């Protein structure tokens, strides 16, 4: 199925809005094309702490029996373990970690190394992404083919938040929200939520590996 379109939210840093009165477009910065998102780049320094997560994405064309799409670009971004966003949160204005772009290979696949995102008040734990036709067109939000979000599975989120240092605030935040009450995922069908939720393996000691397919019609 085609991934449902979801809002990019207030912290995309894709050229569609600003932070502290200045336009923010991380997509135009040298170094944004990378696999490991945990550290800042392009003259900024700093590393986001948290449980390691390797995310493997497969991009498919649902119009041709889910054949893999090669050479497309995926921009991924998400919050820190504390629930903050680089380039927007007051203490992270000089950081751009947990953001990056990868191109899909001949199997329609790309891999990001990041951390498990925290849960902040009012939102189910999630990651944001945008899909572009190529790396060359991935310099601005105006060229995106899809904007959506991934929902983290509850069992994984609960285990990480309860068992990994630094995620303590996420425990209470998660207890106050559900997929159905979330203002993004709440209006989706169970089939859509299943499609938007990665499959996880691993543990809270060594980290997780997650896989997900993203479907678009081209």
């Amino acid at each position: 199925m085609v991934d449902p379109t979801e809002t990019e939210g207030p912290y995309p840093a894709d050229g569609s809005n600003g932070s502290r009165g200045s336009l923010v477009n991380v997509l135009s910065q040298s170094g944004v094309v990378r696999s490991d998102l945990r550290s800042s780049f392009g003259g900024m320094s700093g590393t986001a702490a948290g449980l390691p997560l390797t995310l493997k994405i497969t991009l498919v064309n649902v119009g041709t029996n889910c054949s893999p799409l090669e050479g497309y670009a995926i921009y991924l971004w998400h919050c820190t373990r504390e629930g903050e966003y680089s380039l927007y949160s007051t203490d992270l204005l000089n950081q751009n970690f947990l953001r990056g772009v990868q191109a899909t290979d001949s199997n329609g696949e790309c891999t990001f190394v990041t951390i498990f995102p925290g849960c902040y008040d009012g939102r189910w734990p999630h990651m944001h992404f945008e899909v572009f036709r190529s790396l060359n067109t991935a310099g601005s939000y105006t060229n995106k083919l899809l904007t959506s979000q991934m929902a983290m599975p509850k069992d994984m989120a609960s285990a990480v938040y309860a068992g990994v240092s630094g995620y303590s605030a996420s425990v209470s935040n998660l207890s106050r929200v559900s997929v159905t009450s979330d203002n993004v995922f709440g209006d989706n069908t169970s089939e859509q939520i299943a499609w938007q939720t990665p499959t996880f393996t691993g543990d809270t000691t060594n980290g997780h590996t997650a896989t997900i397919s993203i479907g678009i019609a081209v």
Side-chain angles (χ1 to χ4, degrees):
M1 63 179 291
V2 174
D3 261 58
T5 296
E6 308 286 13
T7 176
E8 69 274 15
Y11 313 114
D14 60 0
S16 61
N17 71 1
S19 175
R20 303 301 191 274
S22 299
L23 186 69
V24 181
N25 185 7
V26 73
L27 297 177
S28 66
Q29 296 180 0
S30 176
V32 71
V33 179
R34 64 210 188 115
S35 178
D36 193 332
L37 311 184
R38 293 173 293 181
S39 296
S40 290
F41 64 96
M44 295 183 177
S45 62
T47 299
L51 184 72
L53 170 61
T54 299
L55 177 63
K56 300 180 179 181
I57 299 173
T58 302
L59 185 66
V60 299
N61 182 5
V62 299
T64 55
N65 297 315
C66 290
S67 59
L69 290 170
E70 179 181 5
Y72 283 65
I74 298 176
Y75 169 40
L76 181 76
W77 75 98
H78 62 86
C79 72
T80 65
R81 67 180 181 181
E82 295 84 9
E84 297 182 317
Y85 285 86
S86 65
L87 297 171
Y88 291 87
S89 297
T90 301
D91 57 336
L92 298 179
L93 296 178
N94 295 317
Q95 301 292 343
N96 55 14
F97 47 49
L98 306 184
R99 301 178 183 276
V101 176
Q102 280 282 281
T104 57
D105 62 17
S106 60
N107 296 313
E109 298 175 353
C110 65
T111 299
F112 293 97
V113 178
T114 185
I115 63 163
F116 197 93
C119 178
Y120 52 91
D121 192 34
R123 279 303 319 274
W124 188 259
H126 61 283
M127 292 183 173
H128 301 259
F129 66 91
E130 293 175 344
V131 178
F132 297 85
R133 178 61 187 84
S134 65
L135 287 177
N136 287 336
T137 62
S140 170
Y141 76 100
T142 57
N143 298 321
K144 62 187 178 182
L145 304 177
L146 171 70
T147 302
S148 194
Q149 299 184 25
M150 303 176 196
M152 300 297 102
K154 185 175 183 179
D155 57 343
M156 291 293 103
S158 296
V160 171
Y161 299 158
V164 181
S165 176
Y167 287 95
S168 58
S170 293
V171 176
S172 57
N173 288 335
L174 183 64
S175 70
R176 295 192 298 270
V177 69
S178 66
V179 171
T180 54
S181 70
D182 183 81
N183 62 13
V184 172
F185 300 125
D187 60 352
N188 290 0
T189 65
S190 58
E191 183 181 19
Q192 287 173 323
I193 294 300
W195 185 262
Q196 289 173 271
T197 302
T199 299
F200 278 73
T201 60
D203 55 53
T204 56
T205 299
N206 301 303
H208 287 297
T209 295
T211 58
I212 190 171
S213 291
I214 295 173
I216 62 175
V218 294

